[in-house]
Amino acid sequence: MRICLLTPDPDHPLLAATTALLTPHHRVEWLDPQSCEDSPERFPDPSSLADVYLLKTRTPRALALARYLETHGAPVLNSASATELCQDRTAMADVARRAGLPFVATRTEPSLAPLVAAGEPAAPVVVKSRHSRRHDLVARVDDAARLRELAARWPDEPVVVQPFTPNDGWDHKLWVVADQVFAALRRSELADSVPGERTRTLGPGELPAGWADLARRVGEVFALDVYGVDLLDAGGAPVIVDINAFPGIRGQSGAPEALAALALRTAAGSRRPRVPAAP
């Protein structure tokens, strides 16, 4: 089989470990979508496509390349449409809540200006960039001064606003590869910084009852095969605060094996990438 990684970083630990598992019997290549011009003439020749592509980058050019590959019959994990859906936090919240998933309440603003004009928030909120990307805006806001500070730094940024969910300062990070669930506790970026452990892997029996099934349900709703779900424990009930297409999944025993097996099944045609309905 020919497996192609769509990424600028084939040495990422998850991809490198997966490649090591595959290369004894299969050919693994990589392509940085940024090296392809926006013109289809610079995309791979349709007559010589790989058996499967793993989309481990989410830039506009990467999505355009993924759509081109799909149009010419090549399977892409995750699909371009599923990946793009997870980049728009407004659409993400809408799809999740309409499907009955316990996604945090989310409203959208064209910028931070309306929040500044409204003055002091009645209760703490979390403000995020509407469009998820590397180094985007994610911040807790408790008062008007913090709003003004963020507005000065991000004057034209479309944002989503979510109520702050009281929690113990730890995010439950659930990662899924073809329905196999991996999990860890990670210190929240919104929590006070404390010395000590930042991440702790959780075994299957350490997750609250039903949480693994909830993570799998997210994959069905969003048509994802490789993804992450960020959950908070709100008094024993799970609250989803983010969903990510093809996250890093670092340090999770068995994750490279699950990804390698998924790539081979997809390349052989026994599993096709999921494609979401329009939000």
Side-chain angles (χ1 to χ4, degrees), residues 6 55 61-71 74 76 78-80:
L6 300 179
L55 181 58
R61 191 168 296 177
L63 293 174
L65 174 57
R67 289 192 186 92
Y68 168 89
L69 295 169
E70 291 168 345
T71 298
V76 180
N78 298 290
S79 70

Side-chain angles (χ1 to χ4, degrees), residues 143-156:
D143 52 41
R146 178 65 166 153
L147 274 176
R148 291 192 296 271
E149 174 194 344
L150 292 174
R153 290 171 51 198
W154 302 79
D156 302 313

Side-chain angles (χ1 to χ4, degrees), residues 201-228:
T201 296
L202 297 175
E206 295 184 88
L207 280 175
W211 284 32
D213 288 338
L214 173 60
R216 295 186 184 99
R217 173 63 179 152
V218 168
E220 295 172 1
V221 170
F222 283 82
L224 294 164
D225 289 285
V226 186
Y227 60 98

Side-chain angles (χ1 to χ4, degrees), residues 20-241:
L21 292 168
L22 291 168
T23 47
H25 305 289
H26 305 279
R27 179 178 170 185
V28 180
E29 309 164 349
W30 71 281
L31 173 63
D32 181 358
Q34 295 304 110
S35 68
C36 301
E37 298 293 338
D38 287 325
S39 169
E41 286 77 14
R42 297 296 301 272
F43 287 167
D45 187 336
S47 66
S48 60
L49 298 183
D51 297 297
V52 65
Y53 291 83
L54 276 57
L55 181 58
K56 185 65 179 75
T57 180
R58 294 168 285 179
T59 64
R61 191 168 296 177
L63 293 174
L65 174 57
R67 289 192 186 92
Y68 168 89
L69 295 169
E70 291 168 345
T71 298
H72 287 89
V76 180
L77 296 171
N78 298 290
S79 70
S81 54
T83 300
E84 188 172 43
L85 176 56
C86 290
Q87 290 185 275
D88 185 339
R89 289 187 169 109
T90 298
M92 178 195 302
D94 180 55
V95 169
R97 292 176 71 85
R98 285 195 290 110
L101 296 172
F103 200 93
V104 65
T106 302
R107 79 175 194 269
T108 304
E109 297 288 354
S111 72
L112 287 161
L115 280 70
V116 173
E120 196 85 12
V125 297
V126 177
V127 177
K128 302 177 182 178
S129 297
R130 171 173 177 171
H131 301 289
S132 175
R133 62 194 187 278
R134 188 180 296 274
H135 307 307
D136 60 358
L137 168 62
V138 178
R140 173 174 169 169
V141 174
D142 291 85
D143 52 41
R146 178 65 166 153
L147 274 176
R148 291 192 296 271
E149 174 194 344
L150 292 174
R153 290 171 51 198
W154 302 79
D156 302 313
E157 184 77 2
V159 297
V160 296
V161 184
Q162 301 168 339
F164 176 75
T165 302
N167 62 87
D168 62 2
W170 292 89
D171 294 341
H172 282 77
K173 310 285 290 190
L174 276 63
W175 300 284
V176 185
V177 182
D179 299 328
Q180 187 170 342
V181 179
F182 306 88
L185 282 175
R186 182 174 295 170
R187 192 69 182 167
S188 171
E189 61 184 309
L190 302 177
D192 295 333
S193 178
V194 294
E197 189 178 36
R198 301 293 301 176
T199 303
R200 180 170 71 86
T201 296
L202 297 175
E206 295 184 88
L207 280 175
W211 284 32
D213 288 338
L214 173 60
R216 295 186 184 99
R217 173 63 179 152
V218 168
E220 295 172 1
V221 170
F222 283 82
L224 294 164
D225 289 285
V226 186
Y227 60 98
V229 183
D230 292 352
L231 289 166
L232 293 177
D233 186 341
V239 176
I240 301 172
V241 294

